[in-house]
Amino acid sequence: MPELVSAEKIKTLVGKENGVSEWILIDQDRINRFADATEDHQWIHVDIEKAKKGPFGGPIGHGFLTLSLIPVFSKSAKYVPEGLKMSVNYGLNKVRFINPVPVGSRVRSKMTISAVEEKGPGRILMTVTHTIEIEGQEKPVCIAEALGMLFF
């Protein structure tokens, strides 16, 4: 369960870890469903035999599949502002895909509150840096600064 904190306290948590998510399996079925949803059927993702001969030795997950998991990763946040009515995706500041995600890998996110900015009465823009990692590897898969507009 996340700790409920005041909107004022959230501002003091900039630079602090905001949780570590559970591991999520990136299997071929998830990759294929993402390819269907986005119409991105590039062979490095969906053609198993051709991908085995490619640069990664097998199929890999889409970078945007990894990125699209940020909302589920965010459910593991350590701190949630008290009185929050809703939060909406506001965008991304910076995203880097650093390491491929081979089929069968498990990924998770370590979250850090990077910025908190008042945007008007009852609205706060919060930036959370997600460092997404593969189980058993030091080098992260992706580092992304995700923006959420919080409404109170």
Side-chain angles (χ1 to χ4, degrees):
M1 287 296 287
E3 179 183 339
L4 291 175
V5 297
S6 69
E8 287 305 311
K9 179 162 182 179
I10 271 289
K11 295 174 190 172
T12 70
L13 298 174
V14 171
K16 305 279 188 215
E17 182 186 286
N18 195 29
V20 178
S21 73
E22 297 293 320
W23 292 106
I24 295 177
L25 177 65
I26 306 299
D27 59 10
Q28 191 63 53
D29 180 59
R30 183 185 296 266
I31 292 168
N32 291 345
R33 287 184 287 126
F34 187 82
D36 289 343
T38 60
E39 297 187 25
D40 180 357
H41 293 94
Q42 186 179 17
W43 62 269
I44 63 171
H45 306 302
V46 298
D47 187 332
I48 295 168
E49 292 310 310
K50 188 172 181 179
K52 285 180 183 177
K53 299 173 190 157
F56 306 111
I60 61 169
H62 303 70
F64 286 117
L65 166 57
T66 303
L67 194 62
S68 75
L69 295 172
I70 284 178
V72 74
F73 292 145
S74 297
K75 290 179 182 179
S76 298
K78 194 186 297 186
Y79 305 106
V80 172
E82 202 168 38
L84 182 66
K85 291 188 177 165
M86 73 173 183
S87 174
V88 296
N89 293 326
Y90 194 74
L92 300 159
N93 280 338
K94 184 177 178 183
V95 177
R96 295 293 180 263
F97 299 112
I98 301 165
N99 203 2
V101 180
V103 167
S105 298
R106 293 186 342 147
V107 296
R108 73 175 179 187
S109 178
K110 291 183 178 177
M111 298 165 279
T112 302
I113 298 171
S114 304
V116 176
E117 182 182 350
E118 293 235 14
K119 286 299 201 179
R123 292 185 305 137
I124 291 176
L125 181 63
M126 186 162 76
T127 305
V128 176
T129 300
H130 288 263
T131 301
I132 303 170
E133 59 186 12
I134 294 178
E135 188 174 33
Q137 291 190 22
E138 268 189 55
K139 188 176 179 183
V141 169
C142 175
I143 299 175
E145 295 176 5
L147 303 162
M149 185 64 74
L150 312 180
F151 293 88
F152 297 88

